[in-house]
């Protein structure tokens, strides 16, 4: 059944009315972005974007991001001085948002503003349902709607400028690190010839906001990693030793961070950023899928990555954080491990995400000591109330600069 849910695009489609599409009538990511779409035009657009996220382009993306990470390391040094407590999630959000600037996508806002805006939006999305009536008339709701309008307006200016540059220099290839250029190209060639230029540009804005929201998944994942490592100091020490001993000058260097990658893979299993997904059943009734028969087209099917990745039938000691399980010869049971989903809807940016997470950990480890300082009365814990993982309570770390930088 899981195979059909993730690979059969004819029978199962993404749910159209999910809460991140609009907030009180204000378009957020829309219904036709690189993540939310599902028709032929989406498939054509995805085919263009795959070129940007391909493993063959990772070296270029690494070269673009590495200098920005060094800038962020200096920002952290100013932030903590000789040593200070920081909210790890908040500072990682700024760091990862800075990568968007390296890839030509964050020029409409500073990394700090992107991080703060994304946090507000991600807090507002579930709140409109949990506190539906009180939130609908609240000042916070008005501020959130205005925030979306402002973000879309500023993003549209950048999109318009880049579109005009591309039209003026139509014979020039799109730079390999120019995500915005690829987004514009993808929307120009998605098979819809009846759209106006305004619609095209607005759809690129939807793609930008989609990426901004999804980008936060990397922030959540590294935050979750440190939440888990709090119970396993010996694993954290071993990971930091590898990070400090291994150079980070090339993509090949990052690929040699074997133990660090094992730790990330295990955190993706125990605390995946995407906890579950939902699909609409769209074909004729009485169709069989494995042991199940769908007797109505009005069916929504929900699957849980978290449950699958903690199933003792597929995982030894599933509640134990054990990076060693990810030996080179280890292959999980099919469809029991899907932190990046699978099939035609699998995450096309998964290789880039792994690269960025390892690069971030590498530069931080070479410049700082990080020691978890959690509030014993408000320990961080993962909330499973929503499709996207949330961590309740702060991931506080005491960050101290190393006496001599190893980077």
């Amino acid at each position: 059944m899981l195979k059909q849910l993730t690979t059969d695009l004819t029978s199962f489609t993404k749910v159209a009315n999910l809460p991140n599409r609009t907030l009180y009538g204000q378009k957020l990511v829309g219904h036709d972005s690189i993540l939310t779409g599902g028709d032929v035009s989406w498939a054509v657009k995805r085919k263009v974007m795959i070129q940007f996220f391909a493993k063959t382009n990772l070296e270029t993306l690494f070269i673009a991001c590495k200098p920005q990470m060094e800038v962020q390391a200096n920002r952290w040094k100013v932030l903590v001085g000789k040593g200070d407590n920081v909210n790890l999630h908040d500072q990682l959000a700024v760091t990862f948002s800075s990568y968007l600037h390296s890839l030509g996508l964050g020029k409409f806002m500073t990394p700090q503003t992107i991080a703060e805006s994304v946090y507000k939006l991600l807090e507002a999305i579930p709140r409109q349902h949990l506190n539906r009536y009180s939130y609908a008339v609240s000042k916070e709701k008005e501020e959130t709607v205005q925030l979306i309008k402002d973000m879309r307006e500023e993003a549209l200016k950048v999109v318009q400028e880049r579109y005009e540059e591309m039209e003026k220099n139509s014979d020039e290839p799109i730079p390999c690190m120019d995500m915005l250029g690829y987004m514009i190209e993808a929307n120009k060639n998605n098979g819809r010839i009846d759209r106006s230029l305004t619609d095209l540009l607005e759809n690129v804005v939807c793609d930008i906001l989609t990426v901004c929201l999804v980008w936060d998944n990397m922030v959540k994942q590294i935050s979750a990693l440190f939440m888990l490592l709090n119970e396993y100091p010996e694993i954290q020490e071993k990971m930091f030793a590898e990070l400090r001993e291994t150079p980070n000058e090339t993509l090949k260097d990052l690929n040699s961070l074997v133990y660090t990658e094992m730790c990330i893979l295990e955190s993706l299993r125990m605390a995946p950023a995407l906890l579950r997904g939902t699909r609409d059943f769209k074909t004729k009734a009485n169709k069989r899928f494995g042991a199940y028969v769908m007797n109505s087209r009005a069916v929504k099917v929900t699957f849980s990555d978290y449950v699958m990745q903690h199933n003792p039938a597929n995982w030894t000691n599933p509640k134990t954080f054990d990076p060693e399980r990810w030996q080179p010869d280890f292959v999980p049971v099919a469809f029991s491990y899907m932190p990046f989903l699978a099939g035609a809807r699998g995450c096309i940016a998964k290789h880039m995400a792994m690269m960025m997470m390892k690069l971030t950990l590498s530069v931080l480890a070479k410049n700082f000591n990080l020691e978890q300082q959690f509030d014993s009365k408000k320990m961080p814990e993962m909330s499973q109330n929503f499709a996207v993982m949330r961590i309740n309570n702060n991931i506080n770390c005491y960050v101290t600069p190393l006496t001599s930088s190893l980077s």
Side-chain angles (χ1 to χ4, degrees):
M1 182 70 175
L2 285 171
K3 181 178 181 180
Q4 284 86 358
L5 279 173
T6 54
T7 61
D8 188 346
L9 302 185
T10 301
S11 300
F12 297 98
T13 62
K14 295 204 77 171
V15 177
N17 60 344
L18 292 178
N20 65 349
R21 286 10 177 200
T22 61
L23 278 175
Y24 288 99
Q26 178 61 47
K27 183 186 290 185
L28 183 53
V29 302
H31 295 83
D32 196 29
S33 76
I34 53 177
L35 182 67
T36 60
D39 57 10
V40 174
S41 65
W42 163 81
V44 174
K45 181 157 63 170
R46 180 182 170 94
K47 187 175 181 180
V48 175
M49 293 306 302
I50 283 176
Q51 300 172 50
F52 175 83
F53 293 114
K55 291 180 71 174
T56 53
N57 198 36
L58 271 186
E59 183 75 42
T60 300
L61 301 182
F62 168 79
I63 293 171
C65 292
K66 177 66 160 55
Q68 188 61 247
M69 189 59 230
E70 300 294 350
V71 171
Q72 285 298 305
N74 289 330
R75 182 185 68 83
W76 280 62
K77 290 177 182 177
V78 173
L79 176 73
V80 302
K82 294 182 179 181
D84 202 355
N85 270 309
V86 303
N87 182 320
L88 189 64
H89 177 278
D90 289 355
Q91 296 310 316
L92 286 173
V94 178
T95 295
F96 277 96
S97 294
S98 72
Y99 289 143
L100 292 172
H101 281 251
S102 300
L103 304 177
L105 206 62
K107 296 179 181 179
F108 68 106
M109 285 182 168
T110 66
Q112 181 78 37
T113 303
I114 292 176
E116 292 173 354
S117 300
V118 167
Y119 176 80
K120 291 176 182 177
L121 292 177
L122 291 174
E123 287 293 299
I125 289 171
R127 200 165 292 160
Q128 66 173 331
H129 295 282
L130 294 177
N131 306 299
R132 181 171 298 179
Y133 300 108
S134 61
Y135 186 76
V137 296
S138 68
K139 182 179 179 181
E140 181 184 359
K141 176 250 181 175
E142 294 178 3
E143 292 174 346
T144 301
V145 170
Q146 187 60 50
L147 172 61
I148 299 172
K149 290 180 179 179
D150 292 343
M151 290 182 73
R152 293 190 66 89
E153 182 178 326
E154 293 303 313
L156 183 59
K157 293 177 184 177
V158 176
V159 173
Q160 179 76 52
E161 179 181 346
R162 185 69 184 103
Y163 176 84
E164 291 173 357
E165 289 175 357
M166 291 174 64
E167 289 295 293
K168 183 178 179 180
N169 305 292
S170 57
D171 294 334
E172 296 182 6
I174 302 172
C176 294
M177 75 289 292
D178 182 9
M179 193 193 303
L180 178 55
Y182 273 89
M183 284 183 174
I184 293 172
E185 188 68 19
N187 280 279
K188 286 170 60 179
N189 296 281
N190 72 346
R192 293 190 172 181
I193 60 176
D194 58 339
R195 291 194 310 176
S196 66
L197 176 59
T198 299
D199 289 340
L200 187 153
L201 299 181
E202 285 287 348
N203 219 51
V204 177
V205 171
C206 288
D207 287 337
I208 291 176
L209 295 189
T210 297
V211 169
C212 286
L213 294 182
V214 173
W215 214 253
D216 190 68
N217 287 350
M218 291 185 284
V219 179
K220 290 186 177 73
Q221 206 58 61
I222 298 299
S223 299
L225 173 61
F226 278 88
M227 178 183 69
L228 295 165
L229 288 173
N230 186 56
E231 300 294 326
Y232 302 89
E234 70 285 355
I235 295 178
Q236 181 166 320
E237 182 177 350
K238 182 176 179 179
M239 183 184 78
F240 266 60
E242 180 189 61
L243 288 165
R244 288 169 178 159
E245 293 168 0
T246 306
N248 60 10
E249 297 303 315
T250 66
L251 180 62
K252 185 177 180 181
D253 291 335
L254 290 189
N255 290 338
S256 66
L257 292 170
V258 177
Y259 190 74
T260 300
E261 180 164 322
M262 292 162 70
C263 290
I264 296 173
L265 292 174
E266 183 68 348
S267 76
L268 284 163
R269 182 189 70 81
M270 289 198 70
L274 181 64
L275 292 169
R276 58 180 174 269
T278 304
R279 297 289 183 266
D280 278 332
F281 177 60
K282 288 295 184 182
T283 55
K284 63 182 180 180
N286 300 318
K287 185 172 182 179
R288 177 173 292 276
F289 294 95
Y292 302 92
V293 176
M294 297 295 184
N295 56 20
S296 171
R297 292 185 64 182
V299 171
K300 294 185 188 300
V301 183
T302 297
F303 58 94
S304 170
D305 299 66
Y306 181 87
V307 171
M308 291 186 294
Q309 293 170 189
H310 286 75
N311 187 347
N314 299 323
W315 301 92
T316 303
N317 299 321
K319 296 183 179 180
T320 301
F321 184 79
D322 181 16
E324 299 290 345
R325 74 173 82 240
W326 296 96
Q327 297 297 326
D329 59 345
F330 174 70
V331 179
V333 174
F335 296 96
S336 68
Y337 181 73
M338 297 196 304
F340 297 105
L341 292 181
R345 280 206 170 274
C347 177
I348 59 177
K350 62 182 179 182
H351 300 300
M352 184 189 71
M354 289 296 293
M355 180 272 287
M356 288 183 172
M357 288 191 286
K358 286 190 285 186
L359 174 60
T360 302
L361 288 171
S362 174
V363 175
L364 288 179
K366 288 178 180 296
N367 287 277
F368 304 97
N369 282 315
L370 283 83
E371 181 182 353
Q372 289 90 327
Q373 297 282 345
F374 299 163
D375 186 337
S376 60
K377 296 181 179 180
K378 294 182 179 180
M379 292 292 286
E381 59 181 5
M382 183 176 64
S383 170
Q384 299 183 51
N385 292 334
F386 308 100
V388 177
M389 180 256 288
R390 295 157 58 90
I391 298 177
N392 295 330
N393 303 322
N394 292 339
I395 306 289
N396 289 326
C397 289
Y398 193 81
V399 181
T400 309
L402 298 180
T403 54
S404 60
S405 175
L406 302 175
S407 58

